């Protein structure tokens, strides 16, 4: 749709500006433009939060991860108890199941069939000829991070090569969690639990761009967790923030400090890491049976050492992405303030799987691996599961080799494909450290396994190094290592070696559930995060009086004898500026032409700070406010009609409103990154 910015009226003579290399979106349109009323004033009404608090009986948080997902909940009456979901059916040897794999299976008719272990096992048991008809998806969350132009129509690719709409898959997955959680709550309560009793929290990586965050909300609406009319029922929480909230509650016996010089729990530091983990694992194993975690309503001991203004880094390393966030404490309430815009990248544990795949290609040939994935998709999934459990056994001081079972159909299909055996391929390939064992396994030396981790871990360390160079970050006291990948001893050791002398490095026990538990706490008290950094610059397109020599000639527009500069970007808030939750930014405008019957205000965003025109590179339209100015008798309207525009910055949502002061008519719009 063409931009209805201010434009010259189509009737009457007009002086045309020199044609420029690119055309302005504002030309050749009717009179709908606005111009700033000077002086434009800004009001911050962070305190006048007028949201009526809805009451919910329970908060359910869903951690929708790249590799695994889960939910946890807490009743608002007893917020100190956090319950992690029931045990899932299925499960792998050597992998603890508080979460379920993020895998989904659709029938050949594209109807939802199953999720998690159930989806995987069912798919695995299908006959290969049948399996080709079914749609099996895993690790699909990364698509939201890697797709530059995400829309509601973005596709995902199933294991059999068929395409499905991403929105549909995400909605199916969320709907599954909704049904599981409501069922568990109903069983616990002994009566039916309604969705309206639940406040939902879904976690997303902080480094996700706005469209991806909005996409998640859209999928949740489609799954029936909440609705656009009742959007408060769903909070989109940022993963590192959730982790941060949980870490504040930790007591010393609930975490492992990697860098301690002192004796921790009766171990001296040389054996702290090994022994501390063994002890912690034992503690966790004992607690595994109980799915309820008590969160003491105290500031944990570690926090009692923190003073006003102290800073800490949360490194959230999951399956797909790594998120780094720097927070600062604001006393007395201990509110959090985000100090530095979240950074990170696609350096999750998937990177290790990818290296393993590259290794297989090197040994058996890329052409074979590609074919095998398509022809025997279930066996490929099996192979990756076998790798996953060995991946978790990798450790810095390991000396004995790791064996990875090759599925029979891999060995069989390879022989058909190449005409010689897998063993022959291994001997012929000059890949050191990987041998063939007579029991039909790939035998990897610990060095070979560690090499698969190296690129991903190097990226994480590199990123942290950059972060520590920043002046705001130089005085960090603690580094919390959280997320599923934080369980990897190789990552812990690398972080400890690189930054142990700069700050204290802490890994919460049961680190894979940190985000989930923190998200529940966030849902119980969303006000705990007070200040965020705006990820983008926001503004609206306006007309300014044309100033010779200041404005480019191609932006000149003359109408009714007034010379206007079109396409001006009037800034509301800059990227990386601190925004208090609920903060309102106001601007006042007036119609460019008094006789206008409608005004259209277009809202734009950009990742850059220094934006002058809406035609600048990287500026995207993300909302439109259309205000009807009719319906007032000419007498009551002041000559300079004031149109107030407000932007309110919420959790991951931004709402814009325009009010015609003369008639108190108003229109509202949510900023939309998916549909423009």
């Amino acid at each position: 749709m063409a931009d209805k910015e201010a434009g010259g009226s189509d009737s009457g003579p007009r002086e045309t500006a020199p044609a420029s290399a690119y055309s302005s979106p504002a030309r050749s349109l009717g009179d709908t433009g606005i111009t700033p009323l000077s002086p434009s004033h800004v009001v911050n009404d962070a305190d006048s939060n007028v949201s009526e608090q809805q009451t919910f009986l329970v908060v359910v948080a869903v951690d929708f991860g790249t590799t695994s997902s889960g939910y946890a909940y807490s009743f608002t009456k007893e917020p100190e108890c956090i319950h992690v979901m029931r045990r899932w059916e299925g499960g792998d040897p050597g992998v603890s199941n508080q979460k379920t794999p993020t895998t989904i299976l659709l029938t050949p008719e594209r109807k939802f069939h199953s999720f998690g272990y159930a989806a995987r096992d069912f798919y695995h048991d299908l006959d290969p000829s049948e399996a080709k008809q079914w749609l099996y998806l895993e690790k699909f969350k990364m698509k939201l991070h890697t797709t530059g132009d995400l829309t509601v129509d973005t596709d995902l690719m199933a294991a059999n090569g068929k395409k499905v709409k991403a929105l549909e898959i995400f909605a199916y997955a969320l709907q599954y969690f909704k049904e599981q959680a409501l069922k568990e709550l109903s069983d616990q309560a002994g009566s039916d639990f309604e969705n309206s009793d639940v406040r939902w929290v879904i976690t997303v990586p902080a480094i996700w761009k706005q469209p991806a965050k909005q996409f998640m909300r859209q999928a949740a609406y489609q799954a029936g967790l909440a609705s656009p009319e009742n959007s408060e029922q769903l909070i989109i929480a940022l993963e590192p923030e959730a982790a941060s909230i949980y870490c504040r509650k930790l007591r010393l016996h609930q975490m492992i400090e990697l860098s301690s010089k002192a004796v921790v729990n009766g171990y001296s530091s040389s054996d702290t890491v090994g022994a501390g983990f063994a002890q912690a694992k034992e503690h966790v194993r004992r607690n595994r049976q109980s799915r309820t975690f008590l969160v003491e309503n105290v500031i944990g001991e570690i926090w009692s050492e923190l003073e006003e203004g102290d800073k800490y880094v949360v490194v959230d390393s999951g399956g797909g992405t790594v998120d780094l966030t720097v927070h600062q404490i604001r006393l007395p309430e201990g509110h959090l303030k985000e100090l530095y815009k979240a950074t990170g990248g696609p350096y999750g544990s998937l990177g290790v799987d990818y290296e393993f795949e590259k290794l297989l290609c090197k040994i058996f040939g890329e052409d074979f691996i590609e074919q095998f994935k398509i022809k025997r998709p279930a066996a490929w999934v099996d192979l990756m599961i076998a790798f996953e459990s060995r991946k978790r056994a990798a450790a810095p001081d390991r000396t004995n080799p790791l064996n990875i079972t090759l599925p029979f159909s891999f060995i069989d299909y390879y022989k058909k494909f190449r005409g010689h055996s897998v063993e022959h391929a291994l001997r012929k390939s000059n890949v050191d450290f990987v041998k063939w064992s007579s029991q039909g396994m790939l035998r990897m030396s610990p060095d070979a396994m560690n090499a698969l981790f190296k690129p991903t871990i190097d990226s994480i360390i590199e990123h942290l190094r950059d972060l520590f160079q920043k002046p705001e970050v130089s005085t960090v006291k603690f580094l919390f290592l959280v997320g599923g990948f934080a369980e990897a001893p190789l990552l812990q050791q690398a972080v400890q070696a690189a930054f142990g002398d700069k700050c204290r490095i802490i890994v919460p026990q049961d680190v894979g559930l940190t985000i989930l538990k923190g998200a529940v706490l966030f849902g119980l008290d969303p006000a705990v995060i007070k200040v965020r950094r705006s990820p983008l610059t926001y503004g609206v397109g306006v007309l300014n009086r044309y100033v010779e020599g200041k404005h480019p000639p191609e932006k000149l527009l003359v109408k009714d004898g007034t010379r206007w500069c079109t396409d001006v970007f009037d800034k509301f808030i800059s990227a990386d500026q601190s925004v208090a939750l609920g903060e309102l930014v106001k601007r006042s405008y007036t119609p460019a032409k008094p006789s206008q019957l409608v005004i259209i205000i277009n809202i734009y965003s950009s990742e850059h700070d220094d934006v002058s025109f809406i035609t600048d590179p990287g500026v995207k339209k993300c909302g439109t406010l259309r205000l009807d100015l009719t319906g007032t008798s000419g007498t009551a309207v002041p000559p300079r009609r004031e149109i107030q525009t407000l932007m309110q910055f919420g959790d991951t949502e931004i709402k814009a409103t325009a009010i015609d002061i003369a008639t108190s008519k108003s229109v509202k719009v949510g900023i939309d990154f998916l549909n423009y």
Side-chain angles (χ1 to χ4, degrees):
M1 165 187 138
D3 268 27
K4 292 214 186 63
E5 263 314 294
S9 80
D10 295 325
S11 57
R14 41 184 285 199
E15 176 190 319
T16 5
S20 69
Y22 56 88
S23 76
S24 142
R27 304 209 174 278
S28 75
L29 292 159
D31 291 309
T32 55
I34 51 165
T35 183
L37 257 185
S38 47
S40 190
H41 51 285
V42 182
V43 190
N44 292 348
D45 295 351
D47 309 325
S48 63
N49 269 349
V50 274
S51 62
E52 310 79 65
Q53 277 308 306
Q54 267 174 292
T55 49
F56 298 102
L57 296 178
V58 66
V59 169
V60 181
V62 178
D63 176 2
F64 193 131
T66 305
T67 44
S68 63
S69 298
Y71 66 87
Y73 58 94
S74 172
F75 294 98
T76 43
K77 279 205 206 53
E78 34 172 18
E80 60 290 340
C81 284
I82 296 179
H83 309 270
V84 175
M85 64 190 193
R86 287 195 258 231
R87 304 285 292 197
W88 295 76
E89 64 291 0
D92 297 327
V95 179
S96 65
N97 306 335
Q98 283 282 213
K99 285 160 104 185
T100 182
T102 308
T103 51
I104 195 165
L105 182 63
L106 306 187
T107 65
E109 297 74 49
R110 299 179 170 245
K111 290 277 168 282
F112 175 79
H113 179 273
S114 46
F115 188 89
Y117 291 113
R120 222 175 58 182
D121 298 345
F122 186 91
Y123 183 60
H124 175 234
D125 295 341
L126 286 169
D127 190 71
S129 58
E130 254 193 305
K132 282 186 202 137
Q133 305 307 310
W134 290 67
L135 293 100
Y136 178 79
L137 293 101
E138 58 177 0
K139 300 174 185 163
F140 47 84
K141 180 177 159 194
M142 275 308 276
K143 182 82 178 192
L144 297 198
H145 179 67
T146 51
T147 307
D149 48 351
L150 186 67
T151 69
V152 282
D153 293 322
T154 298
D155 284 320
L156 294 173
M157 178 100 77
N160 62 359
K162 295 203 168 107
K163 286 187 167 167
V164 273
K165 291 270 169 276
L167 191 64
E168 220 159 278
I169 296 298
F170 280 81
Y172 275 145
L174 290 170
Q175 193 176 345
Y176 174 77
F177 279 114
K178 174 184 149 186
E179 284 162 14
Q180 291 289 324
L182 287 176
K183 200 162 142 237
E184 181 174 340
L185 289 166
S186 300
D187 291 353
Q188 260 210 335
S191 62
D192 271 2
F193 233 86
E194 296 296 323
N195 188 60
S196 55
D197 297 330
V198 180
R199 161 169 265 163
W200 293 95
V201 182
I202 299 177
T203 58
V204 301
I207 51 168
W208 269 16
K209 299 259 194 294
Q210 293 293 353
K213 293 174 183 169
Q214 186 187 334
F215 187 92
M216 213 48 155
R217 187 171 270 282
Q218 208 69 43
Y221 290 161
Q222 199 162 317
L225 273 65
S227 63
E229 299 71 51
N230 196 0
S231 60
E232 280 71 57
Q233 191 178 357
L234 168 67
I235 297 176
I236 301 280
L238 305 180
E239 285 163 11
E241 284 186 352
S244 187
I245 292 166
Y246 180 67
C247 289
R248 301 171 42 180
K249 300 271 189 187
L250 289 173
R251 309 301 295 257
L252 289 176
H253 64 79
Q254 294 168 304
M255 52 200 172
I256 299 122
E257 184 163 349
L258 296 182
S259 43
S260 78
K261 309 282 178 282
V263 175
V264 174
N265 299 345
Y267 288 96
S268 72
S269 68
S270 58
D271 49 28
T272 308
V273 175
F277 262 100
Q279 188 195 29
K281 280 207 173 99
E282 184 46 47
H283 177 83
V284 169
R285 210 173 10 255
R286 280 203 302 273
N287 287 355
R288 263 287 146 64
Q289 281 17 73
S290 90
R291 298 190 344 263
T292 303
F293 294 86
L294 281 170
V295 178
E296 291 148 278
N297 202 0
V298 294
I299 295 265
E301 282 123 325
I302 199 140
W303 292 85
S304 53
E305 298 177 27
L306 285 172
E307 291 135 33
E308 166 89 48
D310 275 352
K311 305 168 192 173
Y312 59 97
V313 180
V314 177
V315 179
D316 168 17
S317 44
T321 50
V322 170
D323 259 350
L324 315 176
T325 311
V326 186
H327 280 157
Q328 186 176 37
I329 307 291
R330 292 171 64 183
L331 296 175
E333 317 86 350
H335 284 140
L336 304 185
K337 174 177 176 183
E338 186 185 5
L339 265 197
Y340 183 73
K341 194 165 67 183
T343 56
Y347 318 125
S349 56
L350 278 186
V352 185
D353 301 358
Y354 177 62
E355 290 298 317
F356 177 61
E357 196 178 314
K358 283 202 325 210
L359 179 72
L360 292 174
C361 289
K362 204 164 155 186
I363 300 169
F364 303 109
E366 202 169 324
D367 52 344
F368 166 71
I369 298 292
E370 283 315 307
Q371 271 306 301
F372 179 69
K373 277 164 128 178
I374 293 164
K375 292 280 190 291
R376 301 278 187 276
W380 171 256
V381 169
D382 263 10
L383 175 56
M384 291 316 277
I385 290 167
F387 173 68
E388 179 70 27
S389 84
R390 301 328 296 145
K391 182 168 103 179
R392 287 168 184 269
D397 45 6
R398 191 183 172 103
T399 48
N400 49 337
L402 294 128
N403 293 324
I404 294 161
T405 313
L406 287 178
F408 170 72
S409 68
F410 186 97
I411 298 168
D412 185 50
Y413 190 66
Y414 185 76
K415 195 154 178 86
K416 283 192 188 121
F417 190 88
R418 285 269 190 262
H420 59 237
S421 70
V422 160
E423 197 179 347
H424 177 81
L426 270 160
R427 272 207 309 275
K428 206 177 78 238
S429 83
N430 37 17
V431 173
D432 292 343
F433 312 128
V434 183
K435 302 278 173 275
W436 175 247
S437 83
S438 52
Q439 295 94 36
M441 296 183 178
L442 281 182
R443 177 170 283 172
M444 291 182 76
S445 74
D447 286 352
M449 183 55 109
N450 297 0
L452 299 181
F453 278 80
K454 195 173 167 4
T456 304
I457 289 178
D458 286 352
S459 299
I460 295 172
I461 298 294
E462 184 60 26
H463 223 96
L464 272 164
R465 281 231 162 83
D466 289 349
L467 186 66
F468 272 94
Q469 309 280 277
K470 305 269 186 294
E472 305 98 315
V473 186
S474 52
T475 53
V476 161
K477 271 207 179 167
F478 295 100
L479 185 153
F480 289 101
L481 203 50
V482 303
F485 195 31
E487 290 169 9
L490 291 163
L491 176 61
Q492 292 174 354
Q493 190 203 38
V495 171
Q496 172 54 31
F499 306 106
D501 53 344
K502 292 195 175 59
C503 57
R504 288 168 63 185
I505 293 164
I506 286 163
V507 183
Q509 271 181 18
D510 229 357
V511 60
L513 297 176
T514 310
I515 290 162
L516 202 44
K517 295 186 230 170
V520 173
L521 293 170
F522 187 38
L524 291 165
D525 177 19
V528 59
I529 302 275
K530 279 287 188 263
V531 178
R532 286 221 177 96
R533 298 272 161 175
S534 171
L536 297 168
T537 298
Y538 293 98
V540 299
V542 301
L543 294 168
N544 276 344
R545 293 294 168 106
Y546 187 81
V547 179
E548 211 62 66
K550 176 183 164 197
H551 292 138
E554 67 271 16
K555 296 286 182 198
L556 173 63
L557 176 78
V558 178
K559 56 180 193 185
D560 305 335
T562 308
R563 294 161 66 86
W564 296 104
C565 175
T566 65
D567 301 337
V568 176
F569 184 100
D570 193 30
K571 210 185 285 186
F572 268 65
I573 200 145
S574 296
D576 217 14
Q577 194 175 329
S578 293
V579 192
L581 231 63
E583 182 166 330
L584 282 177
V585 182
K586 291 188 193 170
R587 294 272 189 282
S588 288
Y589 299 102
T590 188
K593 190 171 165 196
S595 56
Q596 272 170 233
L597 295 181
V598 65
I599 62 167
I600 290 179
I601 298 173
N602 285 313
I603 303 166
Y604 296 89
S605 67
S606 166
E607 289 182 22
H608 309 292
D609 257 358
D610 44 344
V611 189
S612 311
F613 294 102
I614 59 173
T615 47
D616 289 356
V619 176
K620 291 195 176 72
K621 181 160 151 189
C622 58
T624 300
L625 288 162
R626 186 189 169 93
L627 193 55
D628 184 356
L629 300 182
T630 55
T632 49
S633 54
T635 52
V637 180
R640 297 203 66 190
R641 191 163 187 168
E642 184 182 352
I643 308 293
Q644 224 176 46
T645 307
L646 305 110
M647 268 189 178
Q648 182 165 27
F649 295 85
D651 59 346
T652 42
E653 291 197 293
I654 295 160
K655 298 191 174 68
T657 316
I659 308 164
D660 179 0
I661 300 295
T663 61
S664 341
K665 256 195 209 171
S666 71
V667 283
K668 278 193 168 63
V669 66
I671 302 288
D672 184 346
F673 296 97
L674 291 174
N675 300 314
Y676 279 97

